[in-house]
């Protein structure tokens, strides 16, 4: 093979991948220079396409490439545009398209190689052509649906939307399409899709035709081996990535969510029948109670909790921590360094000390509903399959909202807070994306973050996300205080974060469970609940694990019930968690062994006495 042909193949492979990269830039996809989820994938595409041309002797201009090229550019161009538009002012980073890019690169090469094999083997031609037609048909139908959904709603299709689809019957689906598209438009879309697929079928036919005077390639055995490797690599990549893109991934998440929710509700309904207040039915507070779930916040990085930290990462809370209406829970720990497991206890009567199991679960929203509050759940996180506690909390809420682009700007939760009633008794749970990795994805492009000399880019990004969360909390607090008669506000992260090991089930560090926590009680609330305020102040420096938030919030609402215990309520005189018995990781870690707080441990014992 002449060097001129090799150079041509390399140039065409590079141009094909560069073209989609240029489109990403035009569409507004950001972070294009990222190696792991950007440049590396494109380089992989260049290598795969180059080798496929080299071993077959067919350049990208050959008809065998055309069917794959059509779906490759159609999918990535349409999806990237919609994702950017759905992302609001943030747009979308290339990382979010990682699985789509890898899926379509592998599909492009795989489809071509099947076309090539079919053109050389008449016995395989029909079956390989049919496989390509079905693969392209599946991908094409998926992107047609995605485009149609964006056309109707102006946003991309999320797991939450799939939940709604799975809960919709055929009649409701038809009525929906008639209402939003009309039968005429729907027929037009279907006609366009049919014509498109006929074109795909024609391209597959042309691409797999036997060529006259077809000459065998040199080094045939080597070419066959490389072709086999490319086929296997493409198939493995598709098998891994296609289930992680639309529509398979939203379906998987939504199906798991609904299955777990259904199973949870069987026991939950029985638990609610047994639940009752141990005293008289509590009076609802004349305003709002807000619980904010943070994400991946290590309190050592919060200036308000660690005065030695070299940057002011919490300008708002640092200014408020000496406010007598705020209570700094400076010795708070997560019950588990993993979101799903931490939240299984965070807002429920389950904790590490009472030996209850998940079949006995009662949520704080259940208590608020029973007490007569208007309950609401606002989330900037996508549904988490298997997180039964959150499913019950959100499902029991009378109103629930998820931001249009979960995982994006946490400030979007304000849009939903502002549409809630300004009068009456509200109980609101807000779930933030906080400082979940990648940290830079939590920060708006125009936000002036933290830059500490000597710290890595990752650590500065993390600190910037902490600072942005501080700003979000400020906005939640200020709006609710000014407009919703805020009575109480509780904030605590689900778990901490280690700058090297992050967080998770495996390797453990103390940074993974050191979490920030604070409580705000309004002057009006304290006047009517002086003992709660006094006990909280007395216990402010004691050790606290976030699996006891249920009991604390019950205490704040004055809602003592059969699922509540004063010994786990930090607002009670009977609060009995000490450094000797406090644990994490479901009892496998003793909090008193944390070396960072040895001096605080001694001081806490003195204060307790």
């Amino acid at each position: 093979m002449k060097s001129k042909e090799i150079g041509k193949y390399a140039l065409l492979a590079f141009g094909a991948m560069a073209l989609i990269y240029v489109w990403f830039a035009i569409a507004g996809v950001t972070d294009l220079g990222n190696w792991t989820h950007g440049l590396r994938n494109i380089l992989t595409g260049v290598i795969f396409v180059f080798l496929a041309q080299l071993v077959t002797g067919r350049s990208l201009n050959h008809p065998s490439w055309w069917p794959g090229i059509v779906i490759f550019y159609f999918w990535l161009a349409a999806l990237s545009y919609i994702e950017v538009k759905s992302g609001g002012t943030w747009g979308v980073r290339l990382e979010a398209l990682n699985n789509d890019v890898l899926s379509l690169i592998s599909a492009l090469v795989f489809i071509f190689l099947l076309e090539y094999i079919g053109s050389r083997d008449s016995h395989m031609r029909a079956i390989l052509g049919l496989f390509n037609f079905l693969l392209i048909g599946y991908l094409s139908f998926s992107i047609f649906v995605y485009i149609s959904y964006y056309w109707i709603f102006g946003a991309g299709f999320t797991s939450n939307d799939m939940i709604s689809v799975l809960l919709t019957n055929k009649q409701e689906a038809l009525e929906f399409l008639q209402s939003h598209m009309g039968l005429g438009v729907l027929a037009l879309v279907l006609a366009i899709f049919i014509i498109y697929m006929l074109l795909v079928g024609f391209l597959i036919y042309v691409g797999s035709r036997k060529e006259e005077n077809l000459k065998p390639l040199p080094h045939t055995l080597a070419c066959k081996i490389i072709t086999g490797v490319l086929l296997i690599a493409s198939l493995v990549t598709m098998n891994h990535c296609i289930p992680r893109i639309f529509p398979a991934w939203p379906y998987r998440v939504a199906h798991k969510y609904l299955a777990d929710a259904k199973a949870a509700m069987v026991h939950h309904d029985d638990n609610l029948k047994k639940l009752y207040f141990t005293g008289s039915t509590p009076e609802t507070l004349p305003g709002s109670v807000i619980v904010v779930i943070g994400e991946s916040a290590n309190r050592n990085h919060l200036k308000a909790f660690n005065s030695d930290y070299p940057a002011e990462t919490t300008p708002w809370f640092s200014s408020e921590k000496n406010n007598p209406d705020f209570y700094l829970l400076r010795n708070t720990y997560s019950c588990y360094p993993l979101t799903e497991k931490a939240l299984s206890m965070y807002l429920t009567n389950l904790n590490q000390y009472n030996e209850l199991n998940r079949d006995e679960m009662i949520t704080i929203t259940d208590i608020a509903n029973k007490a007569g509050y208007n309950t609401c759940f606002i989330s900037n996180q996508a549904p988490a399959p298997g997180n039964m506690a959150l499913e019950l909390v959100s499902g029991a809420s009378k109103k629930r909202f998820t931001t249009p682009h979960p995982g994006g700007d946490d400030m979007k939760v304000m849009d939903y807070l502002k549409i809630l009633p300004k009068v009456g008794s509200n109980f609101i749970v807000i779930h933030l994306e906080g400082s979940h990795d990648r940290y830079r994805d939590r920060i708006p492009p125009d936000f002036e973050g933290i830059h500490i000399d000597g710290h890595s880019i990752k650590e500065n990004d993390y600190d910037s996300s902490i600072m942005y969360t501080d700003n979000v909390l400020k906005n939640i607090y200020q709006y609710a205080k000014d407009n919703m008669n805020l009575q109480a506000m509780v904030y605590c992260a689900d778990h901490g974060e280690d700058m090297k090991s992050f967080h998770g089930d495996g390797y453990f560090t103390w940074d993974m469970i050191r979490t920030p926590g604070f409580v705000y009680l309004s002057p009006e609330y304290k006047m009517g609940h002086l003992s709660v305020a006094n006990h909280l102040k007395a216990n402010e420096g004691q050790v606290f694990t976030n699996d006891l938030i249920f009991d604390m919030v019950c205490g704040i609402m004055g809602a003592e019930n059969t699922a509540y215990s004063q010994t786990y309520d930090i607002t009670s005189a009977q609060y009995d968690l000490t450094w000797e018995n406090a644990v994490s990781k479901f009892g496998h870690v003793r909090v008193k062994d944390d070396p960072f707080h040895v001096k605080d441990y001694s001081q806490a014992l003195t204060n307790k006495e």
Side-chain angles (χ1 to χ4, degrees):
M1 185 174 292
K2 298 180 180 179
S3 59
K4 183 178 180 180
E5 289 180 307
I6 295 176
K8 174 185 175 183
Y9 295 154
L11 185 62
L12 286 172
F14 178 81
M17 295 300 112
L19 182 60
I20 196 64
Y21 227 61
V22 169
W23 168 254
F24 286 161
I26 293 172
V29 178
T30 60
D31 205 23
L32 294 177
N34 181 281
W35 168 253
T36 303
H37 299 102
L39 297 176
R40 186 175 68 180
N41 290 343
I42 294 301
L43 179 60
T44 300
V46 171
I47 294 172
F48 270 46
V49 172
F50 169 72
L51 288 176
Q53 293 177 98
L54 188 65
V55 298
T56 62
R58 294 183 177 180
S59 74
L60 278 171
N61 298 321
H62 193 279
S64 295
W65 283 98
W66 294 351
I69 286 174
V70 168
I71 188 58
F72 176 80
Y73 286 112
F74 181 32
W75 179 287
L76 292 179
L79 184 89
S80 58
Y81 176 83
I82 292 172
E83 288 296 283
V84 168
K85 295 302 181 183
S86 301
T89 56
W90 285 33
V92 65
R93 289 188 168 94
L94 187 56
E95 179 182 1
L97 306 177
N98 181 55
N99 286 314
D100 299 274
V101 171
L102 290 176
S103 294
L104 272 298
I105 287 174
S106 56
L108 169 64
V109 174
F110 190 78
I111 290 167
F112 162 70
L113 291 175
L114 293 192
E115 290 286 283
Y116 168 73
I117 294 171
S119 70
R120 299 182 69 89
D121 187 338
S122 59
H123 299 292
M124 297 290 292
R125 188 174 302 145
I127 189 66
L128 295 181
L130 177 61
F131 185 91
N132 276 346
F133 184 81
L134 294 176
L135 175 59
I136 295 174
Y138 169 77
L139 293 171
S140 299
F141 183 77
S142 300
I143 198 65
F144 261 82
V145 171
Y146 204 84
I147 293 170
S148 299
Y149 188 87
Y150 175 73
W151 179 28
I152 295 172
F153 293 104
F157 196 102
T158 68
S159 301
N160 278 319
D161 302 313
M162 184 63 78
I163 291 173
S164 299
V165 170
L166 295 180
L167 292 173
T168 300
N169 57 46
K170 293 180 181 179
Q171 181 63 32
E172 290 173 337
L174 181 60
E175 291 173 355
F176 171 85
L177 291 173
Q178 289 177 329
S179 174
H180 288 85
M181 296 183 72
L183 292 180
V185 175
L186 178 61
L188 178 61
V189 171
L190 290 175
I192 293 173
F193 179 73
I194 291 171
I195 294 170
Y196 163 87
M197 287 306 300
L198 289 173
L199 173 62
V200 167
F202 174 73
L203 293 178
I204 290 173
Y205 168 75
V206 171
S208 62
R209 284 186 305 182
K210 181 177 180 180
E211 295 183 353
E212 297 298 329
N213 303 318
L214 187 65
K215 298 179 180 180
L217 293 171
H219 310 297
T220 303
L221 180 59
C223 289
K224 286 182 177 179
I225 292 174
I226 296 175
T227 301
V229 170
L230 287 175
L231 274 170
I232 293 171
S234 298
L235 186 60
V236 169
T237 303
M238 286 193 298
N239 184 61
H240 176 77
C241 292
I242 287 181
R244 288 167 170 78
I245 64 175
F246 180 84
W249 183 252
Y251 175 83
R252 177 182 174 184
V253 172
H255 185 269
K256 185 71 166 59
Y257 179 94
L258 292 173
D260 286 347
K262 183 178 180 180
M265 290 306 296
V266 173
H267 295 288
H268 188 243
D269 289 343
D270 291 336
N271 296 338
L272 288 179
K273 293 175 183 177
K274 301 173 187 176
L275 177 69
Y276 60 89
F277 294 113
T278 52
S280 58
T281 302
E283 293 185 10
T284 56
L285 296 172
S288 298
V289 176
I290 298 178
V291 177
V292 182
I293 307 172
E295 171 70 57
S296 303
N298 177 348
R299 70 166 180 270
N300 287 0
H301 285 251
L302 277 69
K303 184 74 169 181
F305 290 80
N306 180 10
S307 59
D308 295 331
Y309 202 68
E312 179 50 273
T313 55
T314 53
W316 168 68
F317 193 58
S318 291
S319 69
E320 295 284 5
K321 71 174 186 177
N322 294 321
N323 181 335
D325 298 334
F326 281 85
Y327 301 81
L328 187 69
L329 305 181
R330 56 183 175 272
N331 290 311
T332 297
Y333 290 83
S334 171
C335 61
Y336 208 95
L338 195 67
T339 297
E340 179 182 338
K341 291 186 176 180
L343 294 185
S344 70
M345 294 184 171
Y346 188 108
L347 295 176
T348 76
N349 61 324
L350 276 58
N351 61 52
Q352 300 172 100
Y353 315 102
N354 61 15
E355 299 182 354
L356 296 177
N357 63 58
R358 58 186 291 169
D359 292 341
E360 301 172 89
M361 186 181 293
I362 293 291
T363 74
I364 192 61
T365 303
D366 296 327
I367 305 302
N369 280 330
K370 194 172 184 66
Y373 286 85
N374 301 311
T375 53
C376 179
F377 181 78
I378 304 172
S379 179
N380 189 34
Q381 290 204 15
N387 198 327
M388 187 174 73
L390 273 190
E391 291 165 11
L392 294 178
V393 169
S394 62
S397 300
K398 296 171 183 175
K399 294 182 179 179
R400 49 182 170 172
F401 306 99
T402 301
T403 58
H405 191 64
D409 189 354
D410 270 335
M411 201 66 77
K412 287 293 183 181
V413 300
M414 294 299 301
D415 295 342
Y416 301 100
L417 189 63
K418 290 178 179 178
I419 65 175
L420 296 179
K422 293 181 173 61
V423 296
S425 300
N426 299 305
F427 179 80
I428 305 161
V429 175
I430 300 177
H431 193 190
L432 301 180
E433 187 72 9
S435 297
H436 196 286
D437 189 44
R438 282 189 327 160
Y439 314 128
R440 68 177 62 180
D441 292 339
R442 314 283 83 83
I443 313 161
D446 58 350
F447 182 71
E448 185 64 33
I450 300 293
H451 303 280
I452 303 175
D453 292 338
H455 283 196
S456 65
I457 294 175
K458 181 177 74 172
E459 192 164 1
N460 281 326
D461 285 344
Y462 179 76
D463 287 340
S464 298
S465 70
I466 292 290
M467 187 179 185
Y468 189 64
T469 297
D470 182 75
N471 190 36
V472 173
L473 291 171
K474 172 187 176 181
N475 277 265
I476 293 171
Y477 162 76
Q478 200 62 56
Y479 177 82
K481 183 172 179 286
D482 293 343
N483 299 278
M484 304 178 73
N485 192 20
L486 181 63
Q487 294 290 299
M489 177 173 166
V490 174
Y491 165 77
C492 187
D494 56 355
H495 52 73
E497 188 81 337
D498 182 275
M499 291 296 95
K500 293 182 179 179
S501 304
F502 305 100
H503 62 272
D505 260 321
Y507 183 72
F508 170 78
T509 71
W510 289 101
D511 278 339
M512 295 180 183
I513 62 169
R514 295 174 183 142
T515 53
F518 73 75
V519 177
Y520 164 80
L521 300 177
S522 72
E524 176 188 359
Y525 174 91
K526 290 194 294 185
M527 287 180 62
H529 304 81
L530 190 58
S531 63
V532 171
N534 287 341
H535 294 142
L536 181 57
K537 186 64 179 177
N539 293 327
E540 189 178 12
Q542 302 305 315
V543 65
F544 179 76
T545 51
N546 64 5
D547 50 334
L548 304 184
I549 287 178
F550 171 91
D551 299 275
M552 175 175 67
V553 176
C554 284
I556 289 173
M557 294 193 298
E560 297 186 7
N561 58 83
T562 50
Y564 158 89
S565 173
Q566 287 186 333
T567 59
Y568 306 134
D569 177 8
I570 199 171
T571 72
S572 168
Q574 280 72 48
Y575 181 64
D576 195 35
L577 189 67
T578 68
W579 290 94
E580 290 296 330
N581 59 22
V583 294
S584 182
K585 287 203 77 172
F586 294 173
H588 293 292
V589 172
R590 297 190 307 170
V591 169
K592 75 171 187 176
D593 294 333
D594 180 4
F596 187 82
H597 284 295
V598 170
K599 58 181 181 181
D600 290 337
Y601 170 55
S602 301
Q603 184 61 46
L605 287 177
T606 301
N607 292 342
K608 181 88 173 175
E609 294 167 357

